[in-house]
């Protein structure tokens, strides 16, 4: 149980059992490793808690993540194997002034929030599936891989750079919005097999290609898309 610690420094903390954190700010380069072959839980006693970094490499059982879990260290989140259930959790990436890595290995998250800080990058390695709400509050650059989104996406950061892509794949209705104002995303791919993606507010897109439409219904009436690649060249692949 983590009740209060400023930094978790040094090596690995191997956890074959459950982990509870109620400290809402745990920085450092230490890593909590979930390696058990039985069912485990990571929770914050019904509220919010933090870890410096997390590594999942289970050989059996399911790791169930609950509550709001904030990842504060630069080593971020690493997934190497095992069953993980995050449907009851919000994962908050918050590296402060440092960069952070999300090496999700194709695992699926519930809700995810990016609260990275003004100059902090999130480096997504491979595929990071987000089935719940994806909130972008603050991140300098969204780098690397693919983020398939099965739920809604809300962005209130007005300047998000990087080569990463958010791919709308949900079979039901989804929204991309900026809470009535202006927000920013890296690149967008629409690859929906059902439902409608409704786009609203003013959205700045920084990556290239900026917008790729592969399949699915999009309703963007009343929204404003701003292409802002800086000195680079942007393309929009609108499909048919």
């Amino acid at each position: 149980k983590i009740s209060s610690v400023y930094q978790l420094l040094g090596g690995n903390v191997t956890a074959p059992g459950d982990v509870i954190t109620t400290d809402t700010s745990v920085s450092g380069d230490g890593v909590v490793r979930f390696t058990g072959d039985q069912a485990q839980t990571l929770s914050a006693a019904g509220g919010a808690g933090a870890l410096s970094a997390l590594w999942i490499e289970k050989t059996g059982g399911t790791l169930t993540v609950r509550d709001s879990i904030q990842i504060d260290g630069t080593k971020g989140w690493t997934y190497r194997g095992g069953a993980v259930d995050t449907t009851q959790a919000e994962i908050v990436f918050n590296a402060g002034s440092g960069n952070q890595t999300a090496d999700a290995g194709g695992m699926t998250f519930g809700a995810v929030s990016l609260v990275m800080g003004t100059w902090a990058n999130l480096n997504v390695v491979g595929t990071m599936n987000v089935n719940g709400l994806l909130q972008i509050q603050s991140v300098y650059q969204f780098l690397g891989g693919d983020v398939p989104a099965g739920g809604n996406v809300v962005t209130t950061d007005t300047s998000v750079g990087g080569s990463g892509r958010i791919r709308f794949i949900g079979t039901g209705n989804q929204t991309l919005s900026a809470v009535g104002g202006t927000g920013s995303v890296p690149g967008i791919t629409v690859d929906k097999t059902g439902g409608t993606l409704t786009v609203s507010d003013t959205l700045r897109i920084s990556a290239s290609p900026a917008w790729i439409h592969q399949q699915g219904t999009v309703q963007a009436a009343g929204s404003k898309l701003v292409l802002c690649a800086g000195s680079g060249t942007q393309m929009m692949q609108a499909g048919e």
Side-chain angles (χ1 to χ4, degrees):
K1 182 176 181 179
I2 302 173
S3 299
S4 179
V5 62
Y6 176 52
Q7 290 186 314
L8 184 59
L9 299 172
N12 298 318
V13 178
T14 300
D18 298 337
V19 174
I20 298 173
T21 173
T22 54
D23 189 336
T24 57
S25 180
V26 180
S27 60
D29 60 359
V31 180
V32 178
R33 296 173 61 106
F34 288 88
T35 60
D37 59 2
Q38 303 295 320
Q40 294 175 269
T41 60
L42 167 61
S43 67
L51 293 176
S52 53
L54 175 141
W55 181 293
I56 302 169
E57 193 169 8
K58 291 180 60 59
T59 57
T62 297
L63 171 62
T64 301
V65 186
R66 300 190 181 98
D67 308 324
S68 179
I69 304 296
Q70 181 168 290
I71 309 298
D72 287 338
T74 59
K75 293 182 179 179
W77 184 292
T78 303
Y79 174 79
R80 289 292 179 264
V84 184
D85 180 0
T86 61
T87 56
Q88 304 174 65
E90 175 194 27
I91 305 302
V92 181
F93 290 92
N94 179 4
S97 60
N99 300 325
Q100 203 168 54
T101 298
D103 187 351
M107 69 160 281
T108 299
F109 292 81
V112 170
S113 294
L114 306 185
V115 193
M116 295 289 297
T118 305
W119 301 108
N121 300 330
L122 180 67
N123 183 28
V124 177
V125 178
T127 301
M128 176 180 171
N129 299 285
V130 181
N131 272 353
L133 176 64
L134 172 60
Q135 296 188 77
I136 304 174
Q137 297 181 41
S138 178
V139 61
Y140 179 52
Q141 291 192 94
F142 200 126
L143 299 171
D146 188 32
V147 181
N152 298 331
V153 176
V154 175
T155 173
T156 52
D157 187 335
T158 58
S159 181
V160 178
S163 57
R165 302 200 68 80
I166 298 172
R167 183 157 53 95
F168 287 88
I169 61 168
T171 57
N173 294 332
Q174 294 176 267
T175 61
L176 169 60
S177 67
V179 197
T182 299
S184 181
V185 290
I188 294 295
T189 298
V190 182
D191 190 14
K192 291 179 60 59
T193 56
T196 298
L197 171 62
T198 300
V199 184
S200 57
D201 308 323
T202 297
L203 297 168
R204 297 163 58 89
I205 306 177
S206 61
S208 183
W211 182 285
I212 298 174
H213 182 266
Q214 294 179 330
Q215 61 178 337
T217 303
V218 179
Q219 172 57 258
S223 67
K224 180 180 179 181
L225 301 182
V226 181
L227 305 186
C228 50
S231 60
T233 300
Q234 280 182 299
M235 298 182 296
M236 293 191 71
Q237 299 177 12
E240 297 180 357

